[in-house]
Amino acid sequence: MLPSPVPPGLPVVHAAVEYVDEARAVLLAHKERGALRLAGPLGEALAGAVRAAAPGALPRAPGVPPLLLVPVPSARRAVGARGHDPARRIARAAAGVLRREGCPARVPSVLRQRRRVTDQSGLGARQRRANVTGALEAVPGGGRLLVAGPVVLVDDLMTTGASLAEAARAVAQAGGRVVGGAVVAAPPAPVPAASTARSAPMGPPGRLRPFASDKRN
């Protein structure tokens, strides 16, 4: 799944669900209203997107390198205001799902903001790209962690893809190998003006799947 326009350096990103209706409400409740119990089902949905993003890396046989789920880091002030880091919490829940399936997934703390960025809400695609370009870097020693296995960049939501593209740049600069991106949700594809049919999911079949279909017992 790709936004339009596509920011330079954005890997192929898979989303579990369109950012509408119940999915939007659940993500906002977890992110902004501290409904931390929702991290579990959101992690299950993200795990489904990770499976699509790294099919060649799953399942992982014993003794092979782990799959690294690297969240796009939130600003410190945002984490302080919310009382938690939503993307990291969901990533850890997704890693737990994958580990129970036999995949040695990890969520290393390897990226950080190297400069302050403006709140992205209200910014257009070009403004977002300018806002985050060069804003991320690997933490000291992060390069050693990033070469431990293939990297899937993860986040709760993708809009323009600017943050994920910047994360991909920072990971690559530190020596990591990004194999794809995975998010819980992304905006639905626009419906052509001449079309009266219901909007189809963005991207080729399998790249955007219903929220419920990613829940496994």
Side-chain angles (χ1 to χ4, degrees):
M1 187 204 70
L2 294 172
S4 180
V6 179
L10 181 70
V12 176
V13 180
H14 293 256
V17 54
E18 292 181 343
Y19 188 58
V20 294
D21 303 330
E22 291 88 353
R24 182 177 185 276
V26 169
L27 277 170
L28 287 175
H30 175 261
K31 188 172 190 172
E32 305 295 351
R33 295 194 286 277
L36 303 185
R37 68 187 184 281
L38 296 175
L42 290 172
E44 291 180 8
L46 181 61
V50 171
R51 295 183 201 105
L58 299 170
R60 308 289 286 169
V64 301
L67 183 64
L68 306 179
L69 308 187
V70 176
V72 175
S74 298
R76 289 183 180 179
R77 64 184 182 279
V79 173
R82 293 172 178 144
H84 73 123
D85 187 330
R88 180 166 297 279
R89 184 178 293 274
I90 295 171
R92 287 175 174 168
V97 172
L98 295 171
R99 284 194 296 269
R100 290 193 292 273
E101 296 174 351
C103 172
R106 299 178 186 173
V107 185
S109 300
V110 291
L111 294 183
R112 67 181 181 185
Q113 289 192 347
R114 61 192 299 252
R115 63 170 175 80
R116 188 174 181 133
V117 298
T118 303
D119 185 349
Q120 296 273 72
S121 60
L123 299 181
R126 291 183 180 179
Q127 293 171 314
R128 288 187 179 219
R129 188 162 66 246
N131 186 39
V132 301
T133 296
L136 300 180
E137 65 180 0
V139 300
R144 175 179 53 82
L145 297 173
L146 284 169
V147 298
V151 173
V152 176
L153 299 171
V154 298
D155 209 347
D156 56 350
L157 173 67
M158 181 178 76
T159 50
T160 66
S163 296
L164 284 164
E166 170 59 14
R169 182 205 61 78
V171 167
Q173 188 174 55
R177 180 172 65 91
V178 176
V179 297
V183 295
V184 175
V191 180
S195 175
T196 58
R198 184 177 177 181
S199 175
M202 281 191 291
R207 290 194 176 184
L208 187 64
R209 294 179 289 178
F211 188 81
S213 71
D214 287 319
K215 295 184 179 179
R216 298 187 177 185
N217 296 326

